[in-house]
Amino acid sequence: MSWTDERVETLKRMWAEGQSASQIAKELGGVTRNAVIGKVHRLGLSNRAPGGREDEDEAPVAAKPEPKPEPAGTTARAEPAPPRPAPERPVAAPSNVTPLPVRKPIVPAGQPLPPQPSANEISPEALASVREVEKRARRLTLMELTERTCKWPIGDPATDDFWFCGLPSLPGKPYCEAHVGVAFQPMSARRDRRR
DNA sequence: CCCTGATTCGC
DNA sequence: GCGAATCAGG
C-alpha cells in the first residue's frame, strides 16, 4: 500500500476528527498505526487542534532561543481533547433502568456495529448476571472505551450518574457477555417470551 | 495488559 | 519517503 492522494486525504480528515492513529490505520487498511503516525509527522500535522483557537501559520522566527531550563524529560505534549458529544438531555429516564434493545451508545465515530443474529432468549439468569455485572462495571467514560470494552451505557446521561460498563467485550461485539445477552434479542424471542 | 503518540534509523 | 522498532507515557 502506498500513500495515494485519497488515502492521505482520509488520513488528514480522520486525524483532524481526533481519531487515533490505530483507528485510522484500520480504516485505511494495509498500514499499521506506526505508519500512520509516521505519515502524520511527515505531513507536519502532529498536533491536533485542542478545540480552541490555534495559529494557522507558524511564525518562522522564534524570539526565544532557549525557553526550557529543564535538562531532559520535558515533554511539550498537546492534549488531544477529542470532541465531546455533550449529553444533550434526551429524556431523563427515571429510576426505571431497563434498556432492552438499546444498542447505540455514543461511540466516537466507530464502525456501524452490524446487528448480530442471536438465538438468545433473555433469561432470569442473564438479568441477574447483568445486575451483578453492573455493580462491578469499570465505569469507563466515553473516551476510555475501546473496541474491546463493553459499551453498554449505565445510568442517566443527564447526570453524573452515567458511565459505560467497560468490562471486556466479546470479540467482535460491542458488549460484554452479560450485556450481549440482553442486547441482542431477536424479535421472535421477545414475542415468545411475552407468552 | 490495554492503549496513546513520538522518535529513531535502516531501508 | 517510508514504517518497524522503540520509547515514553496513561
Side-chain angles (χ1 to χ4, degrees):
Chain A
M1 279 295 180
S2 60
W3 287 109
T4 62
D5 280 8
E6 193 178 327
R7 289 167 65 78
V8 170
E9 220 177 307
T10 301
L11 163 59
K12 283 180 178 176
R13 178 178 50 76
M14 292 184 72
W15 186 260
E17 285 172 4
Q19 305 272 351
S20 71
S22 58
Q23 286 178 308
I24 297 173
K26 273 182 291 184
E27 173 71 25
L28 290 172
V31 287
T32 64
R33 73 179 197 91
N34 280 306
V36 170
I37 292 173
K39 187 60 178 174
V40 161
H41 278 242
R42 264 170 261 126
L43 288 172
L45 31 78
S46 31
N47 27 8
R48 299 186 247 203
R53 305 270 100 196
E54 265 324 302
D55 313 64
E56 298 285 78
D57 36 77
E58 204 72 282
V61 179
K64 277 280 189 180
E66 288 185 27
K68 22 174 29 177
E70 278 89 14
T74 302
T75 326
R77 187 161 284 121
E79 283 299 306
R84 58 185 179 312
E88 46 190 75
R89 59 170 57 239
V91 177
S95 49
N96 183 353
V97 183
T98 311
L100 260 188
V102 177
R103 63 163 303 291
K104 197 195 174 186
I106 322 160
V107 44
Q111 267 59 34
L113 299 176
Q116 302 284 318
S118 170
N120 244 331
E121 181 171 297
I122 191 162
S123 63
E125 296 82 46
L127 279 176
S129 177
V130 167
R131 287 249 114 78
E132 202 50 43
V133 156
E134 295 190 356
K135 289 188 208 162
R136 303 185 39 212
R138 290 179 61 204
R139 298 197 170 203
L140 296 187
T141 66
L142 179 64
M143 279 89 76
E144 292 169 325
L145 292 176
T146 73
E147 290 191 26
R148 38 183 80 210
T149 59
C150 179
K151 298 166 193 65
W152 189 270
I154 301 173
D156 186 346
T159 70
D160 291 333
D161 201 32
F162 180 70
W163 59 87
F164 292 93
C165 172
L167 291 173
S169 62
L170 262 39
K173 295 202 170 69
Y175 305 125
C176 66
E177 182 156 30
H179 286 134
V180 159
V182 293
F184 298 115
Q185 289 184 65
M187 287 307 213
S188 54
R190 262 189 270 162
R191 176 191 298 257
D192 293 346
R193 191 164 44 77
R194 171 58 253 185
R195 191 152 12 105

